[in-house]
Amino acid sequence: MKTVQISLNSIDKVKSFVNTITQFEHDFDLISGRYVIDAKSIMGIFSLDLSRPIDLAIHAESNMDEILEVLKPYLV
């Protein structure tokens, strides 16, 4: 597992982020304070405070380089 910080400060960014990570079979969690939600859930993402960076936990053993490459537009 790896944790990175991402920024999802617009509706379009949230939609493209979810479309990007759904291409992977791995689990992704967004962590904001005491809340942990499935990063593939648009409704869950909108329940978070998107005005500041959020921690993304990537539960993957393989493809980490590929995953980080496609996440570059969202990394803080």
Side-chain angles (χ1 to χ4, degrees):
M1 183 178 92
K2 182 172 178 71
T3 303
V4 294
Q5 279 206 321
I6 61 168
S7 175
L8 299 173
N9 53 9
S10 73
I11 293 171
D12 291 333
K13 252 186 154 174
V14 171
K15 288 194 287 189
S16 68
F17 170 76
V18 172
N19 287 336
T20 299
I21 64 168
T22 52
Q23 67 185 338
F24 298 102
E25 292 182 13
H26 308 293
D27 289 329
F28 296 84
D29 291 325
L30 286 173
I31 305 160
S32 179
R34 63 183 179 157
Y35 299 104
V36 178
I37 58 119
D38 181 358
K40 294 181 181 179
S41 166
I42 288 180
M43 294 302 288
I45 293 172
F46 283 123
S47 72
L48 299 175
D49 177 8
L50 300 177
S51 64
R52 44 195 175 112
I54 304 168
D55 289 333
L56 173 68
I58 306 165
H59 303 279
E61 300 297 322
S62 60
N63 298 356
M64 191 59 74
D65 291 337
E66 181 184 354
I67 292 169
L68 292 174
E69 184 64 34
V70 298
L71 290 177
K72 271 189 181 175
Y74 313 102
L75 296 176
V76 175

